Amino acid sequence: MCDDEGTKVCTGCNSSRYCSSECREADWSTHKLLCASFKDFATPPEKDMKRAIFFPTESKSPRFVWVPCSLNRAERREVIGTTPLLANFENETHVLADWLLLQRNAVRQRGLRHTVALLFRQAFLLDGLMTNWSAREATKGLMGKNWSGPIFAFRQPGLTDEPGYYDHMDMVDFRDVVDHFTSFGNEAVLSRAMWVGGKATGVKIACQGDMAVLGSEKFQSISIPRQHPVWRTPLTTDLSRLIDFPILTPRCTPDPAWKNNESITQRFLNYPATSLHFITDKTNPGWGSAPISWQDSVGSVLVVRPGWKPLSPLHLEAFCAFCQHKVGPLLQDHIGSETERENALEEITANRFGEFFESYRASMAESSREWRTVRSPYDV
């Protein structure tokens, strides 16, 4: 998913490597389509078989397949046999004659170390046949062109100019193929490619379980791929909008090391994250408290700013302190009429948070050097 060293191996396929759990989560919606089946294709049934990826037209699932590759000594190349495979699929009677050789991933702005060869119908863009649904599913409907008819993807050693010899496709190759389906003919994706392949800085608020078992810090700076689902979280929190500092707050998957460890009785507790969700709708009976879903089983939470804006752990710590020590008591003190609640909302503004931040920074700077130079969150 990114150019950082991959130290975490996917335990499902043992093929893809990731630099972090966040990077793996960013890839998961596509990766999961083939992850579980990869181990079933570890050993070729015959020595001349090569592992390829097949995108059938009418299925929502691409799949690994074994394709016979017989050596043509006269032409010094291997000849692949896809026709028998197509015969196993109803309506897949098309002639596949066009090749496209991929040697660069345009989405992630990086070259490939070998060639990925796509085999498809010549007229797939012209004759208006049915969309290839497995390719559509793999790209989540974001194909740049209307790929139609069956498609095979093969791997070739090295960077070659024409189909010749073949190797086994893996899960990384699958990611490159899907990125090509997304970017090919898609100017919007190509214009954003240098950003899509990168990362942005967010913050993880650790719950009691992560801190007790994993030794996590309460507020951790974390690099998050720009394709991570966190950036597609639909709504910012009410409080963050009131102070003109919008944030997104999806939950993290609980770590297996503590998820079911009942000896840690409050392992899901995360009060700073809960406080970010105090209800400020003056007509809501839950005014001043967080929704039940943000009181129980919260766990650790990722926090980011929309538009890939960077977020500092110190800024988020100050915002959580503002919510806990200022906003919470203020809302509880004005729990009566709608007029009282309206008066409380007038105190929850960008100016009030800015004033609180300056005071909080001065207090923290007395014992922490890093707080002495941190700028206002509105200056970032």
Side-chain angles (χ1 to χ4, degrees):
M1 286 296 288
C2 70
D3 294 329
D4 294 340
E5 181 181 0
T7 58
K8 299 179 182 293
V9 180
C10 173
T11 56
C13 63
N14 287 327
S15 174
S16 294
R17 291 178 174 270
Y18 302 97
C19 67
S20 63
S21 58
E22 288 74 27
C23 214
R24 183 176 186 274
E25 289 172 4
D27 191 33
W28 180 241
S29 63
T30 294
H31 183 87
K32 67 181 180 182
L33 297 175
L34 290 180
C35 179
S37 65
F38 184 77
K39 289 184 178 179
D40 297 333
F41 286 81
T43 304
E46 299 177 21
K47 66 177 182 179
D48 66 340
M49 294 283 196
K50 297 296 168 61
R51 184 174 56 233
I53 298 176
F54 178 47
F55 294 84
T57 305
E58 298 183 13
S59 170
K60 288 189 175 182
S61 299
R63 61 198 68 186
F64 284 111
V65 292
W66 292 115
V67 178
C69 298
S70 57
L71 179 61
N72 184 323
R73 296 185 182 278
E75 297 184 12
R76 295 183 179 180
R77 66 185 183 92
E78 290 180 325
V79 179
I80 59 174
T82 58
T83 302
L85 289 172
L86 291 176
N88 295 327
F89 293 86
E90 186 178 357
N91 299 326
E92 299 286 28
T93 59
H94 310 288
V95 175
L96 306 184
D98 247 15
W99 287 93
L100 180 64
L101 304 183
L102 311 181
Q103 298 178 349
R104 181 171 178 78
N105 187 317
V107 172
R108 297 172 206 290
Q109 297 287 289
R110 67 179 180 220
L112 309 185
R113 296 183 179 181
H114 51 264
T115 301
V116 173
L118 300 183
L119 177 61
F120 52 92
R121 297 170 44 254
Q122 278 185 317
F124 84 98
L125 288 175
L126 304 175
D127 54 17
L129 289 182
M130 179 183 290
T131 296
N132 186 303
W133 283 99
S134 56
R136 183 180 178 86
E137 178 68 16
T139 62
K140 304 308 174 189
L142 299 177
M143 289 194 297
K145 294 290 186 180
N146 183 37
W147 290 82
S148 61
I151 307 168
F152 283 92
F154 303 91
R155 177 171 172 169
Q156 296 181 256
L159 302 177
T160 182
D161 293 331
E162 60 183 31
Y165 295 90
Y166 299 93
D167 205 342
H168 297 298
M169 289 282 285
D170 61 21
M171 295 298 296
V172 178
D173 299 323
F174 177 50
R175 176 78 257 177
D176 290 327
V177 172
V178 172
D179 283 344
H180 179 75
F181 288 155
T182 303
S183 62
F184 179 63
N186 193 333
E187 293 300 324
V189 170
L190 292 174
S191 66
R192 297 171 65 236
M194 64 179 294
W195 300 104
V196 171
K199 295 185 177 183
T201 303
V203 178
K204 183 177 182 179
I205 310 178
C207 64
Q208 295 286 22
D210 273 353
M211 291 192 293
V213 176
L214 306 180
S216 301
E217 296 180 3
K218 190 63 184 178
F219 297 93
Q220 312 167 55
S221 180
I222 192 164
S223 294
I224 305 174
R226 290 190 172 100
Q227 285 193 323
H228 193 284
V230 64
W231 305 106
R232 298 190 292 275
T233 303
L235 298 174
T236 56
T237 66
D238 291 345
L239 281 175
S240 69
R241 290 196 296 273
L242 286 174
I243 67 165
D244 197 25
F245 191 69
I247 56 173
L248 306 172
T249 57
R251 292 177 172 88
C252 301
T253 302
D255 195 287
W258 57 262
K259 179 180 179 181
N260 298 316
N261 187 348
E262 296 184 359
S263 65
I264 308 174
T265 56
Q266 295 184 319
R267 55 193 181 279
F268 287 94
L269 184 66
N270 193 338
Y271 193 66
T274 297
S275 70
L276 295 173
H277 295 83
F278 288 152
I279 296 171
T280 57
D281 178 357
K282 59 181 182 291
T283 64
N284 192 315
W287 166 273
S289 62
I292 295 299
S293 61
W294 280 98
Q295 295 181 32
D296 302 324
S297 300
V298 175
S300 294
V301 174
L302 279 181
V303 183
V304 298
R305 299 178 67 188
W308 303 324
K309 293 181 180 179
L311 178 62
S312 161
L314 302 185
H315 291 157
L316 185 59
E317 177 184 338
F319 184 26
C320 288
F322 178 69
C323 294
Q324 291 176 253
H325 305 307
K326 290 293 184 180
V327 174
L330 177 67
L331 297 179
Q332 291 300 317
D333 289 343
H334 294 74
I335 204 169
S337 66
E338 286 193 22
T339 301
E340 285 187 58
R341 296 181 179 188
E342 188 66 45
N343 292 335
L345 293 178
E346 292 178 359
E347 296 298 314
I348 308 174
T349 64
N351 286 338
R352 288 291 185 263
F353 176 53
E355 293 169 359
F356 176 87
F357 178 80
E358 294 301 328
S359 175
Y360 189 81
R361 175 173 58 181
S363 174
M364 298 299 293
E366 294 177 3
S367 57
S368 175
R369 183 174 298 177
E370 64 178 341
W371 277 95
R372 297 173 189 172
T373 57
V374 64
R375 294 186 296 167
S376 165
Y378 296 108
D379 293 336
V380 177

mmCIF file of all heavy atoms in Angstrom, residues 69-87:
data_model
loop_
_atom_site.group_PDB
_atom_site.id
_atom_site.type_symbol
_atom_site.label_atom_id
_atom_site.label_comp_id
_atom_site.label_asym_id
_atom_site.label_seq_id
_atom_site.Cartn_x
_atom_site.Cartn_y
_atom_site.Cartn_z
ATOM 1 N N CYS A 69 0.830 -23.362 -19.018
ATOM 2 C CA CYS A 69 1.752 -22.546 -19.822
ATOM 3 C C CYS A 69 2.767 -23.485 -20.471
ATOM 4 O O CYS A 69 3.753 -23.887 -19.835
ATOM 5 C CB CYS A 69 2.468 -21.513 -18.960
ATOM 6 S SG CYS A 69 1.385 -20.312 -18.184
ATOM 7 N N SER A 70 2.516 -23.851 -21.697
ATOM 8 C CA SER A 70 3.394 -24.793 -22.392
ATOM 9 C C SER A 70 4.485 -24.049 -23.148
ATOM 10 O O SER A 70 4.245 -22.990 -23.734
ATOM 11 C CB SER A 70 2.580 -25.664 -23.353
ATOM 12 O OG SER A 70 1.884 -24.854 -24.279
ATOM 13 N N LEU A 71 5.674 -24.611 -23.151
ATOM 14 C CA LEU A 71 6.828 -23.954 -23.763
ATOM 15 C C LEU A 71 6.844 -24.184 -25.271
ATOM 16 O O LEU A 71 6.786 -25.320 -25.753
ATOM 17 C CB LEU A 71 8.119 -24.496 -23.152
ATOM 18 C CG LEU A 71 9.427 -23.914 -23.702
ATOM 19 C CD1 LEU A 71 9.501 -22.412 -23.454
ATOM 20 C CD2 LEU A 71 10.625 -24.613 -23.082
ATOM 21 N N ASN A 72 6.909 -23.111 -26.031
ATOM 22 C CA ASN A 72 7.090 -23.162 -27.480
ATOM 23 C C ASN A 72 8.560 -22.867 -27.749
ATOM 24 O O ASN A 72 8.986 -21.708 -27.740
ATOM 25 C CB ASN A 72 6.190 -22.136 -28.169
ATOM 26 C CG ASN A 72 6.260 -22.212 -29.677
ATOM 27 O OD1 ASN A 72 7.319 -22.458 -30.261
ATOM 28 N ND2 ASN A 72 5.107 -21.992 -30.322
ATOM 29 N N ARG A 73 9.331 -23.915 -27.936
ATOM 30 C CA ARG A 73 10.791 -23.744 -28.060
ATOM 31 C C ARG A 73 11.164 -22.969 -29.316
ATOM 32 O O ARG A 73 12.137 -22.204 -29.309
ATOM 33 C CB ARG A 73 11.463 -25.110 -28.061
ATOM 34 C CG ARG A 73 11.273 -25.875 -26.751
ATOM 35 C CD ARG A 73 12.064 -27.182 -26.740
ATOM 36 N NE ARG A 73 11.840 -27.912 -25.508
ATOM 37 C CZ ARG A 73 12.474 -27.668 -24.360
ATOM 38 N NH1 ARG A 73 13.380 -26.709 -24.311
ATOM 39 N NH2 ARG A 73 12.206 -28.386 -23.296
ATOM 40 N N ALA A 74 10.408 -23.125 -30.384
ATOM 41 C CA ALA A 74 10.742 -22.437 -31.625
ATOM 42 C C ALA A 74 10.619 -20.928 -31.467
ATOM 43 O O ALA A 74 11.462 -20.166 -31.959
ATOM 44 C CB ALA A 74 9.842 -22.934 -32.762
ATOM 45 N N GLU A 75 9.583 -20.498 -30.773
ATOM 46 C CA GLU A 75 9.367 -19.061 -30.598
ATOM 47 C C GLU A 75 9.953 -18.543 -29.290
ATOM 48 O O GLU A 75 9.856 -17.343 -28.998
ATOM 49 C CB GLU A 75 7.862 -18.775 -30.636
ATOM 50 C CG GLU A 75 7.224 -19.111 -31.973
ATOM 51 C CD GLU A 75 5.758 -18.718 -32.013
ATOM 52 O OE1 GLU A 75 5.314 -17.989 -31.105
ATOM 53 O OE2 GLU A 75 5.061 -19.130 -32.960
ATOM 54 N N ARG A 76 10.546 -19.443 -28.507
ATOM 55 C CA ARG A 76 11.175 -19.081 -27.231
ATOM 56 C C ARG A 76 10.213 -18.309 -26.319
ATOM 57 O O ARG A 76 10.523 -17.246 -25.800
ATOM 58 C CB ARG A 76 12.439 -18.257 -27.476
ATOM 59 C CG ARG A 76 13.527 -19.024 -28.194
ATOM 60 C CD ARG A 76 14.778 -18.174 -28.341
ATOM 61 N NE ARG A 76 15.833 -18.916 -29.016
ATOM 62 C CZ ARG A 76 17.050 -18.423 -29.284
ATOM 63 N NH1 ARG A 76 17.329 -17.168 -28.938
ATOM 64 N NH2 ARG A 76 17.954 -19.160 -29.897
ATOM 65 N N ARG A 77 9.062 -18.881 -26.146
ATOM 66 C CA ARG A 77 8.092 -18.284 -25.234
ATOM 67 C C ARG A 77 7.120 -19.353 -24.771
ATOM 68 O O ARG A 77 7.059 -20.451 -25.344
ATOM 69 C CB ARG A 77 7.332 -17.147 -25.904
ATOM 70 C CG ARG A 77 6.424 -17.572 -27.045
ATOM 71 C CD ARG A 77 5.803 -16.359 -27.716
ATOM 72 N NE ARG A 77 4.867 -16.737 -28.759
ATOM 73 C CZ ARG A 77 3.552 -16.899 -28.562
ATOM 74 N NH1 ARG A 77 3.048 -16.719 -27.341
ATOM 75 N NH2 ARG A 77 2.754 -17.234 -29.545
ATOM 76 N N GLU A 78 6.358 -19.008 -23.740
ATOM 77 C CA GLU A 78 5.344 -19.914 -23.234
ATOM 78 C C GLU A 78 3.984 -19.554 -23.821
ATOM 79 O O GLU A 78 3.672 -18.380 -24.001
ATOM 80 C CB GLU A 78 5.280 -19.859 -21.702
ATOM 81 C CG GLU A 78 6.491 -20.480 -21.028
ATOM 82 C CD GLU A 78 6.401 -20.402 -19.522
ATOM 83 O OE1 GLU A 78 5.865 -19.402 -19.006
ATOM 84 O OE2 GLU A 78 6.884 -21.330 -18.855
ATOM 85 N N VAL A 79 3.208 -20.570 -24.113
ATOM 86 C CA VAL A 79 1.862 -20.372 -24.648
ATOM 87 C C VAL A 79 0.864 -20.723 -23.545
ATOM 88 O O VAL A 79 0.911 -21.813 -22.968
ATOM 89 C CB VAL A 79 1.607 -21.263 -25.882
ATOM 90 C CG1 VAL A 79 0.184 -21.049 -26.392
ATOM 91 C CG2 VAL A 79 2.626 -20.961 -26.968
ATOM 92 N N ILE A 80 -0.013 -19.778 -23.240
ATOM 93 C CA ILE A 80 -0.977 -20.004 -22.162
ATOM 94 C C ILE A 80 -2.266 -20.595 -22.714
ATOM 95 O O ILE A 80 -2.624 -20.367 -23.875
ATOM 96 C CB ILE A 80 -1.290 -18.697 -21.408
ATOM 97 C CG1 ILE A 80 -1.856 -17.648 -22.356
ATOM 98 C CG2 ILE A 80 -0.045 -18.179 -20.709
ATOM 99 C CD1 ILE A 80 -2.314 -16.407 -21.656
ATOM 100 N N GLY A 81 -2.962 -21.345 -21.873
ATOM 101 C CA GLY A 81 -4.204 -21.985 -22.296
ATOM 102 C C GLY A 81 -5.388 -21.528 -21.466
ATOM 103 O O GLY A 81 -5.706 -22.141 -20.442
ATOM 104 N N THR A 82 -6.042 -20.463 -21.892
ATOM 105 C CA THR A 82 -7.182 -19.925 -21.128
ATOM 106 C C THR A 82 -8.525 -20.442 -21.640
ATOM 107 O O THR A 82 -9.515 -20.392 -20.920
ATOM 108 C CB THR A 82 -7.201 -18.388 -21.202
ATOM 109 O OG1 THR A 82 -7.270 -17.975 -22.579
ATOM 110 C CG2 THR A 82 -5.943 -17.811 -20.568
ATOM 111 N N THR A 83 -8.567 -20.940 -22.877
ATOM 112 C CA THR A 83 -9.842 -21.364 -23.454
ATOM 113 C C THR A 83 -10.549 -22.435 -22.636
ATOM 114 O O THR A 83 -11.760 -22.339 -22.388
ATOM 115 C CB THR A 83 -9.647 -21.834 -24.904
ATOM 116 O OG1 THR A 83 -9.071 -20.774 -25.672
ATOM 117 C CG2 THR A 83 -10.979 -22.241 -25.525
ATOM 118 N N PRO A 84 -9.833 -23.485 -22.174
ATOM 119 C CA PRO A 84 -10.522 -24.479 -21.339
ATOM 120 C C PRO A 84 -11.105 -23.891 -20.055
ATOM 121 O O PRO A 84 -12.144 -24.332 -19.582
ATOM 122 C CB PRO A 84 -9.417 -25.493 -21.030
ATOM 123 C CG PRO A 84 -8.423 -25.326 -22.130
ATOM 124 C CD PRO A 84 -8.453 -23.876 -22.460
ATOM 125 N N LEU A 85 -10.446 -22.884 -19.507
ATOM 126 C CA LEU A 85 -10.954 -22.256 -18.287
ATOM 127 C C LEU A 85 -12.255 -21.510 -18.571
ATOM 128 O O LEU A 85 -13.217 -21.584 -17.813
ATOM 129 C CB LEU A 85 -9.915 -21.295 -17.714
ATOM 130 C CG LEU A 85 -8.671 -21.928 -17.097
ATOM 131 C CD1 LEU A 85 -7.667 -20.842 -16.766
ATOM 132 C CD2 LEU A 85 -9.035 -22.699 -15.843
ATOM 133 N N LEU A 86 -12.293 -20.781 -19.672
ATOM 134 C CA LEU A 86 -13.487 -20.024 -20.013
ATOM 135 C C LEU A 86 -14.675 -20.942 -20.262
ATOM 136 O O LEU A 86 -15.824 -20.574 -20.022
ATOM 137 C CB LEU A 86 -13.231 -19.165 -21.250
ATOM 138 C CG LEU A 86 -12.263 -17.985 -21.074
ATOM 139 C CD1 LEU A 86 -12.034 -17.289 -22.403
ATOM 140 C CD2 LEU A 86 -12.795 -17.008 -20.051
ATOM 141 N N ALA A 87 -14.405 -22.160 -20.715
ATOM 142 C CA ALA A 87 -15.489 -23.103 -20.985
ATOM 143 C C ALA A 87 -16.234 -23.500 -19.716
ATOM 144 O O ALA A 87 -17.373 -23.970 -19.773
ATOM 145 C CB ALA A 87 -14.930 -24.351 -21.676
#
